[in-house]
PDB file of all heavy atoms in Angstrom:
ATOM      1  N   LEU A1405     -22.387  11.193  -4.770  1.00  0.00           N
ATOM      2  CA  LEU A1405     -20.936  10.823  -4.761  1.00  0.00           C
ATOM      3  C   LEU A1405     -20.223  11.302  -6.041  1.00  0.00           C
ATOM      4  O   LEU A1405     -19.193  11.868  -5.978  1.00  0.00           O
ATOM      5  CB  LEU A1405     -20.785   9.358  -4.558  1.00  0.00           C
ATOM      6  CG  LEU A1405     -20.971   8.849  -3.084  1.00  0.00           C
ATOM      7  CD1 LEU A1405     -20.645   7.312  -3.162  1.00  0.00           C
ATOM      8  CD2 LEU A1405     -20.023   9.422  -2.157  1.00  0.00           C
ATOM      9  N   LEU A1406     -20.953  11.058  -7.132  1.00  0.00           N
ATOM     10  CA  LEU A1406     -20.326  11.494  -8.394  1.00  0.00           C
ATOM     11  C   LEU A1406     -20.242  12.930  -8.457  1.00  0.00           C
ATOM     12  O   LEU A1406     -19.221  13.547  -8.978  1.00  0.00           O
ATOM     13  CB  LEU A1406     -21.166  10.824  -9.562  1.00  0.00           C
ATOM     14  CG  LEU A1406     -20.609  10.872 -10.896  1.00  0.00           C
ATOM     15  CD1 LEU A1406     -19.323  10.095 -11.102  1.00  0.00           C
ATOM     16  CD2 LEU A1406     -21.611  10.304 -11.970  1.00  0.00           C
ATOM     17  N   GLY A1407     -21.353  13.678  -8.207  1.00  0.00           N
ATOM     18  CA  GLY A1407     -21.356  15.121  -8.317  1.00  0.00           C
ATOM     19  C   GLY A1407     -20.262  15.745  -7.305  1.00  0.00           C
ATOM     20  O   GLY A1407     -19.700  16.783  -7.598  1.00  0.00           O
ATOM     21  N   SER A1408     -20.125  15.063  -6.182  1.00  0.00           N
ATOM     22  CA  SER A1408     -19.063  15.626  -5.165  1.00  0.00           C
ATOM     23  C   SER A1408     -17.773  15.442  -5.757  1.00  0.00           C
ATOM     24  O   SER A1408     -16.898  16.370  -5.608  1.00  0.00           O
ATOM     25  CB  SER A1408     -19.287  14.900  -3.875  1.00  0.00           C
ATOM     26  OG  SER A1408     -20.510  15.088  -3.347  1.00  0.00           O
ATOM     27  N   ALA A1409     -17.489  14.415  -6.529  1.00  0.00           N
ATOM     28  CA  ALA A1409     -16.161  14.262  -7.031  1.00  0.00           C
ATOM     29  C   ALA A1409     -15.905  15.344  -8.136  1.00  0.00           C
ATOM     30  O   ALA A1409     -14.838  15.965  -8.090  1.00  0.00           O
ATOM     31  CB  ALA A1409     -16.111  12.780  -7.826  1.00  0.00           C
ATOM     32  N   PHE A1410     -16.937  15.643  -9.017  1.00  0.00           N
ATOM     33  CA  PHE A1410     -16.819  16.681  -9.894  1.00  0.00           C
ATOM     34  C   PHE A1410     -16.623  18.037  -9.259  1.00  0.00           C
ATOM     35  O   PHE A1410     -15.933  18.845  -9.763  1.00  0.00           O
ATOM     36  CB  PHE A1410     -17.995  16.677 -10.914  1.00  0.00           C
ATOM     37  CG  PHE A1410     -18.006  15.654 -11.846  1.00  0.00           C
ATOM     38  CD1 PHE A1410     -19.193  14.896 -11.967  1.00  0.00           C
ATOM     39  CD2 PHE A1410     -16.916  15.362 -12.640  1.00  0.00           C
ATOM     40  CE1 PHE A1410     -19.178  13.755 -12.909  1.00  0.00           C
ATOM     41  CE2 PHE A1410     -16.966  14.357 -13.565  1.00  0.00           C
ATOM     42  CZ  PHE A1410     -18.038  13.572 -13.707  1.00  0.00           C
ATOM     43  N   ILE A1411     -17.289  18.204  -8.190  1.00  0.00           N
ATOM     44  CA  ILE A1411     -17.162  19.445  -7.425  1.00  0.00           C
ATOM     45  C   ILE A1411     -15.708  19.660  -6.943  1.00  0.00           C
ATOM     46  O   ILE A1411     -15.141  20.831  -7.054  1.00  0.00           O
ATOM     47  CB  ILE A1411     -18.112  19.605  -6.176  1.00  0.00           C
ATOM     48  CG1 ILE A1411     -19.622  19.820  -6.729  1.00  0.00           C
ATOM     49  CG2 ILE A1411     -17.751  20.714  -5.218  1.00  0.00           C
ATOM     50  CD1 ILE A1411     -20.599  19.653  -5.625  1.00  0.00           C
ATOM     51  N   HIS A1412     -15.267  18.629  -6.327  1.00  0.00           N
ATOM     52  CA  HIS A1412     -13.774  18.710  -5.997  1.00  0.00           C
ATOM     53  C   HIS A1412     -12.737  18.844  -7.063  1.00  0.00           C
ATOM     54  O   HIS A1412     -11.781  19.743  -7.029  1.00  0.00           O
ATOM     55  CB  HIS A1412     -13.376  17.455  -5.102  1.00  0.00           C
ATOM     56  CG  HIS A1412     -13.849  17.504  -3.695  1.00  0.00           C
ATOM     57  ND1 HIS A1412     -15.192  17.164  -3.379  1.00  0.00           N
ATOM     58  CD2 HIS A1412     -13.239  17.803  -2.583  1.00  0.00           C
ATOM     59  CE1 HIS A1412     -15.194  17.297  -2.083  1.00  0.00           C
ATOM     60  NE2 HIS A1412     -14.160  17.691  -1.627  1.00  0.00           N
ATOM     61  N   ILE A1413     -13.004  18.251  -8.172  1.00  0.00           N
ATOM     62  CA  ILE A1413     -12.065  18.510  -9.277  1.00  0.00           C
ATOM     63  C   ILE A1413     -12.221  19.885  -9.820  1.00  0.00           C
ATOM     64  O   ILE A1413     -11.215  20.518 -10.103  1.00  0.00           O
ATOM     65  CB  ILE A1413     -12.429  17.425 -10.496  1.00  0.00           C
ATOM     66  CG1 ILE A1413     -12.047  16.086 -10.043  1.00  0.00           C
ATOM     67  CG2 ILE A1413     -11.758  17.777 -11.724  1.00  0.00           C
ATOM     68  CD1 ILE A1413     -12.744  14.976 -10.909  1.00  0.00           C
ATOM     69  N   ALA A1414     -13.474  20.337  -9.991  1.00  0.00           N
ATOM     70  CA  ALA A1414     -13.571  21.770 -10.435  1.00  0.00           C
ATOM     71  C   ALA A1414     -12.888  22.693  -9.333  1.00  0.00           C
ATOM     72  O   ALA A1414     -12.361  23.751  -9.789  1.00  0.00           O
ATOM     73  CB  ALA A1414     -15.067  22.058 -10.635  1.00  0.00           C
ATOM     74  N   TRP A1415     -13.149  22.344  -8.152  1.00  0.00           N
ATOM     75  CA  TRP A1415     -12.512  23.323  -7.065  1.00  0.00           C
ATOM     76  C   TRP A1415     -11.032  23.381  -7.274  1.00  0.00           C
ATOM     77  O   TRP A1415     -10.417  24.418  -7.194  1.00  0.00           O
ATOM     78  CB  TRP A1415     -12.962  22.721  -5.720  1.00  0.00           C
ATOM     79  CG  TRP A1415     -12.649  23.697  -4.554  1.00  0.00           C
ATOM     80  CD1 TRP A1415     -11.440  23.677  -3.840  1.00  0.00           C
ATOM     81  CD2 TRP A1415     -13.624  24.708  -4.013  1.00  0.00           C
ATOM     82  NE1 TRP A1415     -11.525  24.670  -2.839  1.00  0.00           N
ATOM     83  CE2 TRP A1415     -12.738  25.292  -3.001  1.00  0.00           C
ATOM     84  CE3 TRP A1415     -14.797  25.068  -4.256  1.00  0.00           C
ATOM     85  CZ2 TRP A1415     -13.222  26.283  -2.218  1.00  0.00           C
ATOM     86  CZ3 TRP A1415     -15.262  26.217  -3.528  1.00  0.00           C
ATOM     87  CH2 TRP A1415     -14.519  26.716  -2.493  1.00  0.00           C
ATOM     88  N   LEU A1416     -10.397  22.220  -7.333  1.00  0.00           N
ATOM     89  CA  LEU A1416      -8.940  22.112  -7.458  1.00  0.00           C
ATOM     90  C   LEU A1416      -8.502  22.934  -8.743  1.00  0.00           C
ATOM     91  O   LEU A1416      -7.397  23.486  -8.736  1.00  0.00           O
ATOM     92  CB  LEU A1416      -8.442  20.724  -7.474  1.00  0.00           C
ATOM     93  CG  LEU A1416      -8.636  19.927  -6.087  1.00  0.00           C
ATOM     94  CD1 LEU A1416      -8.369  18.558  -6.239  1.00  0.00           C
ATOM     95  CD2 LEU A1416      -7.743  20.646  -4.970  1.00  0.00           C
ATOM     96  N   ALA A1417      -9.314  22.797  -9.800  1.00  0.00           N
ATOM     97  CA  ALA A1417      -8.834  23.447 -11.042  1.00  0.00           C
ATOM     98  C   ALA A1417      -8.921  24.851 -10.981  1.00  0.00           C
ATOM     99  O   ALA A1417      -8.273  25.713 -11.715  1.00  0.00           O
ATOM    100  CB  ALA A1417      -9.655  22.841 -12.229  1.00  0.00           C
ATOM    101  N   ALA A1418     -10.003  25.433 -10.314  1.00  0.00           N
ATOM    102  CA  ALA A1418     -10.347  26.808 -10.355  1.00  0.00           C
ATOM    103  C   ALA A1418      -9.810  27.641  -9.294  1.00  0.00           C
ATOM    104  O   ALA A1418      -9.900  28.935  -9.382  1.00  0.00           O
ATOM    105  CB  ALA A1418     -11.944  26.892 -10.458  1.00  0.00           C
ATOM    106  N   THR A1419      -9.522  27.045  -8.195  1.00  0.00           N
ATOM    107  CA  THR A1419      -9.187  28.010  -6.947  1.00  0.00           C
ATOM    108  C   THR A1419      -8.096  27.411  -6.150  1.00  0.00           C
ATOM    109  O   THR A1419      -7.767  26.166  -6.200  1.00  0.00           O
ATOM    110  CB  THR A1419     -10.429  28.121  -6.080  1.00  0.00           C
ATOM    111  OG1 THR A1419     -10.081  29.052  -5.038  1.00  0.00           O
ATOM    112  CG2 THR A1419     -10.961  26.875  -5.603  1.00  0.00           C
ATOM    113  N   ASP A1420      -7.476  28.219  -5.426  1.00  0.00           N
ATOM    114  CA  ASP A1420      -6.373  27.814  -4.468  1.00  0.00           C
ATOM    115  C   ASP A1420      -6.903  27.823  -3.025  1.00  0.00           C
ATOM    116  O   ASP A1420      -6.157  27.721  -2.146  1.00  0.00           O
ATOM    117  CB  ASP A1420      -5.235  28.890  -4.555  1.00  0.00           C
ATOM    118  CG  ASP A1420      -4.474  28.633  -5.828  1.00  0.00           C
ATOM    119  OD1 ASP A1420      -4.489  27.509  -6.360  1.00  0.00           O
ATOM    120  OD2 ASP A1420      -3.829  29.581  -6.347  1.00  0.00           O
ATOM    121  N   LEU A1421      -8.178  28.058  -2.758  1.00  0.00           N
ATOM    122  CA  LEU A1421      -8.749  27.965  -1.505  1.00  0.00           C
ATOM    123  C   LEU A1421      -8.764  26.512  -0.893  1.00  0.00           C
ATOM    124  O   LEU A1421      -8.640  25.556  -1.680  1.00  0.00           O
ATOM    125  CB  LEU A1421     -10.235  28.419  -1.561  1.00  0.00           C
ATOM    126  CG  LEU A1421     -10.443  29.924  -2.042  1.00  0.00           C
ATOM    127  CD1 LEU A1421     -11.917  30.216  -2.217  1.00  0.00           C
ATOM    128  CD2 LEU A1421      -9.785  30.913  -0.975  1.00  0.00           C
ATOM    129  N   PRO A1422      -8.894  26.472   0.355  1.00  0.00           N
ATOM    130  CA  PRO A1422      -8.858  25.078   0.974  1.00  0.00           C
ATOM    131  C   PRO A1422      -9.809  24.141   0.544  1.00  0.00           C
ATOM    132  O   PRO A1422     -10.972  24.522   0.156  1.00  0.00           O
ATOM    133  CB  PRO A1422      -8.978  25.421   2.432  1.00  0.00           C
ATOM    134  CG  PRO A1422      -8.643  26.845   2.608  1.00  0.00           C
ATOM    135  CD  PRO A1422      -8.972  27.417   1.388  1.00  0.00           C
ATOM    136  N   VAL A1423      -9.485  22.937   0.290  1.00  0.00           N
ATOM    137  CA  VAL A1423     -10.452  21.741  -0.215  1.00  0.00           C
ATOM    138  C   VAL A1423     -11.412  21.568   0.794  1.00  0.00           C
ATOM    139  O   VAL A1423     -12.489  21.082   0.281  1.00  0.00           O
ATOM    140  CB  VAL A1423      -9.554  20.572  -0.550  1.00  0.00           C
ATOM    141  CG1 VAL A1423     -10.410  19.451  -1.103  1.00  0.00           C
ATOM    142  CG2 VAL A1423      -8.520  20.843  -1.471  1.00  0.00           C
ATOM    143  N   ALA A1424     -11.327  21.865   2.002  1.00  0.00           N
ATOM    144  CA  ALA A1424     -12.263  21.698   3.072  1.00  0.00           C
ATOM    145  C   ALA A1424     -13.560  22.400   2.650  1.00  0.00           C
ATOM    146  O   ALA A1424     -14.698  21.982   2.979  1.00  0.00           O
ATOM    147  CB  ALA A1424     -11.748  22.130   4.325  1.00  0.00           C
ATOM    148  N   LEU A1425     -13.458  23.698   2.004  1.00  0.00           N
ATOM    149  CA  LEU A1425     -14.618  24.321   1.541  1.00  0.00           C
ATOM    150  C   LEU A1425     -15.311  23.625   0.481  1.00  0.00           C
ATOM    151  O   LEU A1425     -16.532  23.529   0.527  1.00  0.00           O
ATOM    152  CB  LEU A1425     -14.247  25.710   1.151  1.00  0.00           C
ATOM    153  CG  LEU A1425     -13.601  26.624   2.086  1.00  0.00           C
ATOM    154  CD1 LEU A1425     -13.027  27.976   1.518  1.00  0.00           C
ATOM    155  CD2 LEU A1425     -14.510  26.949   3.339  1.00  0.00           C
ATOM    156  N   ALA A1426     -14.639  22.851  -0.414  1.00  0.00           N
ATOM    157  CA  ALA A1426     -15.359  22.051  -1.437  1.00  0.00           C
ATOM    158  C   ALA A1426     -16.022  20.915  -0.881  1.00  0.00           C
ATOM    159  O   ALA A1426     -17.087  20.567  -1.264  1.00  0.00           O
ATOM    160  CB  ALA A1426     -14.249  21.704  -2.450  1.00  0.00           C
TER     161      ALA A1426
END
Side-chain angles (χ1 to χ4, degrees):
L1405 286 177
L1406 193 60
S1408 295
F1410 287 129
I1411 288 170
H1412 279 83
I1413 290 169
W1415 188 273
L1416 291 172
T1419 182
D1420 290 331
L1421 296 173
V1423 178
L1425 297 174

